């Protein structure tokens, strides 16, 4: 099921019903737009296919869309867009909260890198932060070593957060593929 099918489900009273839908149709039937931020979510971006648009609040301000890589099976990226009431001043606190969530969700989490960014890979201006984590999860008795990337930006009154997760065995390919999605995804 594609991103547009899931959007239709949300608009028709799907998972998280809202007074006003968060997503509207874009310039084509292959693009949805977050009504409040103007962030565009194409059905496909490079080798990624969009899935699961989700609205978390009644006002439609807090949303996400998932993207799965079509060639690197196991590489999934979720793009979150939600209000940033404090502007860039609130970035440090939000970043700390996002990092703590990763630590709470997984076992044996180790921070591999942590950096401050002057802009997004696509050149969008605005302060950002990026961290790379390794962790081990137990999936039905099988230990799986994985990596997760957290990218967080303050952009035009919204936080734009990217969470990517993939098996440790594909880390070299995945690092470039995730950065490619961030570079190619259109920002308002």
């Amino acid at each position: 099921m594609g991103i547009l099918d899931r959007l239709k489900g949300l608009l028709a009273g799907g998972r998280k019903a809202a007074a006003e839908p968060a997503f509207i149709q874009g310039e084509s039937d292959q693009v949805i737009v977050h009504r409040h931020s103007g962030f565009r979510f194409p059905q496909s971006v490079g080798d990624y296919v969009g899935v699961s648009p989700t609205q978390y609040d009644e006002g439609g301000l807090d949303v996400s869309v998932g993207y799965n890589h079509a060639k690197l099976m196991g590489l999934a990226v979720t793009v979150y867009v939600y209000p940033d009431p404090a502007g860039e001043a609130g970035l440090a606190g939000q970043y700390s909260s996002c990092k703590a969530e990763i630590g709470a969700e997984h076992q044996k989490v180790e921070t591999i890198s942590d950096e401050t960014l002057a802009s997004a890979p696509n050149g969008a201006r605005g302060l950002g932060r990026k961290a790379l984590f390794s962790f081990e999860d137990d999936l039905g008795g099988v230990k799986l070593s994985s990596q997760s990337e957290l990218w967080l930006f303050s952009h035009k009154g919204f936080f734009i957060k990217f969470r990517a997760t993939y098996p440790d065995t594909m880390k070299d390919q995945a690092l470039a593929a995730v950065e490619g999605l961030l570079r190619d995804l259109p920002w308002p």
Side-chain angles (χ1 to χ4, degrees):
M1 179 182 289
I3 192 171
L4 296 175
D5 294 324
R6 293 198 184 253
L7 173 62
K8 290 173 188 170
L10 282 174
L11 294 175
R15 286 193 273 221
K16 299 196 181 347
E20 180 178 331
F23 298 102
I24 57 175
Q25 187 66 51
E27 62 277 5
S28 79
D29 64 354
Q30 298 298 303
V31 177
I32 59 173
V33 179
H34 180 228
R35 178 185 304 275
H36 299 286
S37 68
F39 205 94
R40 302 179 118 54
F41 296 97
Q43 171 69 34
S44 62
V45 180
D47 288 328
Y48 287 91
V49 177
V51 296
S52 304
T54 303
Q55 179 174 332
Y56 298 101
D57 66 326
E58 258 189 50
L61 294 169
D62 187 353
V63 300
S64 71
V65 172
Y67 283 91
N68 293 331
H69 199 280
K71 295 178 183 172
L72 297 175
M73 297 309 200
L75 170 54
V77 180
T78 305
V79 183
Y80 299 87
V81 178
Y82 54 99
D84 173 9
E88 289 183 355
L91 184 66
Q94 183 63 30
Y95 184 65
S96 293
S97 295
C98 292
K99 287 173 51 176
E101 286 174 13
I102 294 169
E105 292 172 1
H106 304 286
Q107 301 170 18
K108 298 181 183 178
V109 176
E110 179 184 329
T111 302
I112 297 171
S113 65
D114 193 334
E115 40 187 307
T116 300
L117 306 169
S119 64
N122 65 355
R125 292 188 182 169
L127 190 60
R129 299 292 306 266
K130 174 189 175 188
L132 177 62
F133 304 90
S134 66
F135 57 86
E136 189 173 273
D137 276 339
D138 186 354
L139 300 173
V142 177
K143 299 278 188 208
L144 178 65
S145 295
S146 298
Q147 292 201 352
S148 185
E149 296 182 41
L150 165 65
W151 299 69
L152 182 68
F153 299 91
S154 176
H155 183 74
K156 298 183 179 181
F158 285 86
F159 285 119
I160 310 297
K161 177 173 77 172
F162 296 84
R163 277 286 310 275
T165 304
Y166 43 85
D168 192 52
T169 56
M170 70 169 57
K171 65 184 173 188
D172 294 334
Q173 294 170 298
L175 289 168
V178 170
E179 191 161 327
L181 175 65
L182 272 72
R183 183 187 58 246
D184 296 342
L185 195 63
W187 289 32

